Amino acid sequence: MQRSRLVPYGYQSGDCGYCKNNETSAAYYAKSSYMTVETYQALVDRGWRRSGDLLYKPDVLRACCPHYTIRLPAASFKPSRDQRQAINRWNAHVLGDKYAKEVAKKYPRSKEEKKQKNQRFDLVESVQEAEARHLKPVEPAHRFEVTLEPDDFSEEKFQLYRNYQSQVHGDIESEITRTGFKRFLCTSPLKRRKDSVEGREKLLGSYHQCYRLDGRLIAMGVLDLLPHAVSGVYLLYHSDFGKWNFGKLSALREIALVIEGKYNYYYMGYYIHNCVKMRYKGDYKPQLVLDPMTYHWNPLEDVKAHLDQEKFVSLDVAAASTPEDKSMDVDEFAGPDGTTWRYKSASEAAASGESLFIIRMPGVPTASELSHEVDLDQIHVTFGQGMTFQTNMLSSWEDDTDITHMTLRGAIAELAACVGQEVAESMAVDFSR
């Protein structure tokens, strides 16, 4: 069995990218050169995300803008009026009036078919309506194609990225590089493969969903296709097509991909309640929120009312709350085991150099709990060139018994605590990089 390879980078703080208050957030980081889709599915369901080959699990408690993992059960999705209108507007633009008239003339619908069309909105059918491969043999105004392609670099993709970052995001042109694009959106540790589900091919791994109009690449979604989910990583579109709302169009198409490919859930990344630009994810209903303490899923609508009052919310641990006095560096809150946790701010916790088992982080077990969940003596480590050993084979391992200090055992224990038992038992801690 080839194990997912993880390099522990530890707990670090940094400036928040979502607010303008010069506040600090923190996360636990790791890197990976190889990862199975099963491993990443398990990590996402513990609050992790990736950026290229960098993996991170935000400290939800200490964040000024807490990141909550959300997912949409696609089979239950009901598009809103404005979401349906976005699809219909784009389809009308691609097909044109002439196409619609010719199709109505050559392939007339019965009264019953027209009635069903008006009464029932089929998401998969609607997002594919204007695609060239689904058209009647009548010439449309434009040729529109959507393809799933390997997440490899191409100059065509880079030029789209360059336009999007400079014209839509306002980035400085000189800072938009091919190297950065490759690192950010073309370097995934997930390895692609194909499975068969109910007689149909199911793609797994990292892909680019490319949108081409009359042969021109106009938009691209970066997707991770996982055993039980389609996870949206990033979307970019050409500024010439800004008015067509590709944010909505791509989200709806990705939800349709979940349904058609039987992936079950659509992950839109993090929901950040106190960031207005990130609240739009709640418009795709019904969303479920991952509890940062217990990893249970709760309806977003149940969590929202609490998020209006508190930044840190765990419905499963009602007593858990963020301190009201933000000027304090140290405060207390009740942990899931009923004990009182004392904690420092994000910057102080990172600067202290203390173990996660001392500073504490929501969703991370205590040292005692970890000892019952994971046998650290059986963790695999690799030093490259196919050399993989269990930790108990290391000469100094038995002398290193305290996991609450920054030793080799402590670093491996922190990683195991953050990734959870399932991943810890199947990974190889990579010391070759």
Side-chain angles (χ1 to χ4, degrees):
M1 177 185 76
Q2 188 169 6
R3 295 175 174 271
S4 297
R5 299 160 71 104
L6 290 168
V7 184
Y9 269 50
Y11 185 88
Q12 300 175 28
S13 65
D15 294 337
C16 175
Y18 293 94
C19 70
K20 299 179 180 179
N21 299 326
N22 297 318
E23 294 200 45
T24 302
S25 294
Y28 181 87
Y29 292 89
K31 274 199 171 187
S32 177
S33 59
Y34 173 87
M35 181 173 291
T36 67
V37 290
E38 288 79 10
T39 293
Y40 189 54
Q41 178 78 70
L43 289 178
V44 169
D45 289 336
R46 287 180 67 86
W48 288 77
R49 293 287 288 176
R50 76 171 184 88
S51 176
D53 62 357
L54 180 67
L55 305 159
Y56 56 99
K57 176 180 171 61
D59 186 336
V60 183
L61 176 65
R62 294 176 174 87
C64 51
C65 299
H67 297 39
Y68 290 89
T69 297
I70 57 173
R71 73 180 185 186
L72 173 76
S76 302
F77 174 63
K78 296 292 187 291
S80 62
R81 182 183 178 190
D82 66 300
Q83 290 163 354
R84 296 194 302 269
Q85 287 176 337
I87 295 176
N88 293 334
R89 285 179 61 242
W90 175 251
N91 289 346
H93 169 68
V94 172
L95 299 175
D97 291 339
K98 185 177 179 181
Y99 175 88
K101 290 176 182 177
E102 284 293 311
V103 168
K105 180 180 177 181
K106 293 183 177 181
Y107 307 95
R109 289 192 176 120
S110 66
K111 289 184 178 179
E112 184 61 28
E113 288 174 329
K114 290 179 180 178
K115 181 179 179 181
Q116 289 182 358
K117 177 71 173 176
N118 292 331
Q119 291 180 345
R120 181 181 63 90
F121 182 86
D122 186 306
L123 178 64
V124 175
E125 181 183 299
S126 296
V127 299
Q128 295 177 347
E129 184 179 325
E131 278 190 63
R133 63 192 176 102
H134 293 289
L135 300 185
K136 301 289 187 184
V138 175
E139 190 66 24
H142 302 279
R143 182 176 179 81
F144 180 52
E145 299 172 288
V146 180
T147 56
L148 273 173
E149 304 175 8
D151 64 336
D152 298 330
F153 172 87
S154 74
E155 187 63 24
E156 177 189 40
K157 293 175 183 177
F158 172 68
Q159 291 303 329
L160 176 65
Y161 171 78
R162 184 178 181 179
N163 169 270
Y164 179 75
Q165 295 300 129
S166 63
Q167 301 302 313
V168 179
H169 263 277
D171 289 358
I172 299 172
E173 185 81 26
S174 60
E175 296 179 355
I176 304 170
T177 65
R178 288 169 179 79
T179 301
F181 172 60
K182 290 176 184 177
R183 183 177 60 248
F184 180 30
L185 298 176
C186 304
T187 307
S188 169
L190 303 183
K191 301 310 172 186
R192 292 183 293 273
R193 75 168 197 256
K194 297 177 182 178
D195 281 0
S196 179
V197 177
E198 299 179 9
R200 296 190 60 179
E201 183 179 82
K202 183 175 184 177
L203 300 177
L204 296 169
S206 297
Y207 287 85
H208 290 158
Q209 189 164 56
C210 297
Y211 301 72
R212 290 184 173 86
L213 190 70
D214 300 327
R216 176 189 178 190
L217 183 64
I218 63 170
M220 186 176 81
V222 182
L223 305 178
D224 289 334
L225 306 184
L226 308 177
H228 307 299
V230 170
S231 176
V233 179
Y234 203 65
L235 168 74
L236 44 149
Y237 57 84
H238 198 282
S239 57
D240 289 352
F241 296 85
K243 72 175 184 178
W244 297 107
N245 208 327
F246 263 89
K248 281 190 180 129
L249 292 177
S250 63
L252 295 169
R253 181 167 288 275
E254 288 159 16
I255 296 170
L257 176 61
V258 176
I259 297 169
E260 191 178 24
K262 301 186 183 302
Y263 293 96
N264 299 329
Y265 296 100
Y266 178 47
Y267 287 64
M268 297 184 76
Y270 293 121
Y271 176 79
I272 304 176
H273 189 70
N274 56 331
C275 178
V276 175
K277 290 183 178 180
M278 299 296 283
R279 285 194 190 184
Y280 75 91
K281 296 178 181 181
D283 296 337
Y284 298 84
K285 302 176 180 180
Q287 292 281 9
L288 302 174
V289 180
L290 185 68
D291 190 289
M293 300 291 280
T294 64
Y295 302 123
H296 296 158
W297 295 93
N298 296 302
L300 175 59
E301 294 307 310
D302 292 352
V303 179
K304 270 186 175 180
H306 296 270
L307 288 173
D308 286 334
Q309 305 299 323
E310 306 168 7
K311 289 182 179 180
F312 176 72
V313 173
S314 170
L315 293 187
D316 294 337
V317 186
S321 62
T322 307
E324 294 182 1
D325 185 357
K326 290 300 180 181
S327 65
M328 298 179 68
D329 290 328
V330 181
D331 214 307
E332 301 177 347
F333 76 100
D337 54 2
T339 60
T340 298
W341 290 11
R342 294 184 63 81
Y343 73 93
K344 299 176 180 179
S345 67
S347 57
E348 284 210 351
S352 71
E354 293 177 328
S355 164
L356 285 184
F357 301 111
I358 295 176
I359 65 174
R360 304 306 304 271
M361 180 172 161
V364 176
T366 64
S368 175
E369 290 168 340
L370 180 68
S371 67
H372 290 94
E373 294 176 8
V374 178
D375 184 352
L376 293 177
D377 293 341
Q378 303 299 312
I379 296 289
H380 285 72
V381 295
T382 180
F383 297 93
Q385 299 179 344
M387 296 187 297
T388 300
F389 308 92
Q390 288 184 340
T391 48
N392 60 9
M393 299 172 66
L394 302 177
S395 60
S396 62
W397 185 253
E398 293 301 326
D399 299 329
D400 182 14
T401 59
D402 189 350
I403 67 172
T404 63
H405 290 85
M406 295 311 295
T407 60
L408 175 63
R409 184 186 286 265
I412 292 176
E414 280 193 354
L415 177 62
C418 287
V419 301
Q421 180 181 9
E422 179 184 347
V423 174
E425 292 177 349
S426 64
M427 71 180 178
V429 184
D430 190 354
F431 291 107
S432 65
R433 299 184 72 185

